[in-house]
Amino acid sequence: MVPNIAIFASGTGSNAAHIIDTLHSKRVNVVRLYCNNPEAGVIKKCELRNVPVCVISKEDWNAKESSQWFNQLMQDGVSLIVLAGFLKKIPAFLIQHYPNKIINLHPALLPKFGGKGMYGLNVHRAVLQANEESTGISFHFVNEHYDEGAIIAQFEMYVAPSNTPEHLAERIHQLEHRHFPDVILSVLNL
Ligand code: GRF
């Protein structure tokens, strides 16, 4: 059976687009994008790829099992949730419905540079301020604490002395795109 996966994203969506384009030929159905920001670039990218979009309002995000987005998720028969730059904290009820079935991507080598406030350029600035010789990306299952669930895979890269936070972000994105589809396939046992 072809697995149905959902992507949750809040931002520009380069990872979401890359996942959709790559998994298209691998018998995985990206059934819907869930997005908390109606202005996010990821929405257009999904529409261009004919992936339906569900925009989640602030009130609805906290409304638990009765919310429209959660009903949609159930109706879609989603077996795996992929967080690709999703900035909201995942509620406990969703984690209970999807134990070890929600994957997050973090742009650093956890447990370093994780936790509240550690997203986007903040992470890369912190890496440079700490004079790290290397950084990387972490794929992990989501539990009730930010960036603390079991690690699935990590990939490392060197930090060049001349790197700015923006350079690091660009290089980290390349690393993310290279590995994200394969990590999803491995979690799905495909
Ligand atoms: C990525 O760097 C990811 O690690 C982080 O948010 C960023 C999302 O980028 N969690 P994009 O929206 O996929 O381009």
Side-chain angles (χ1 to χ4, degrees), residues 11-16 84-86 104-107 120 124 172-173 176-177:
T12 56
S14 69
N15 280 286
F86 188 66
N104 185 41
L105 163 63
H106 186 78
H124 309 310
I172 285 281
H173 264 102
E176 292 174 345
H177 297 171

Side-chain angles (χ1 to χ4, degrees), residues 8-82:
F8 282 46
S10 308
T12 56
S14 69
N15 280 286
H18 185 71
I19 290 165
I20 294 162
D21 293 345
T22 309
L23 294 187
H24 187 64
S25 59
K26 308 260 182 194
R27 294 180 51 78
V28 176
N29 188 19
V30 179
V31 77
R32 199 174 301 274
L33 167 79
Y34 291 81
C35 180
N36 63 304
N37 175 7
E39 308 296 324
V42 66
I43 293 178
K44 187 94 198 140
K45 288 189 174 70
C46 286
E47 285 170 352
L48 282 171
R49 290 164 172 81
N50 294 319
V51 171
V53 175
C54 174
V55 176
I56 308 172
S57 68
K58 202 173 170 188
E59 302 73 48
D60 224 17
W61 181 245
N62 297 317
K64 299 205 171 179
E65 283 96 333
S66 60
S67 58
Q68 183 258 335
W69 65 267
F70 183 71
N71 287 333
Q72 186 69 65
L73 202 62
M74 295 296 103
Q75 268 173 35
D76 285 345
V78 166
S79 56
L80 183 74
I81 295 175
V82 172

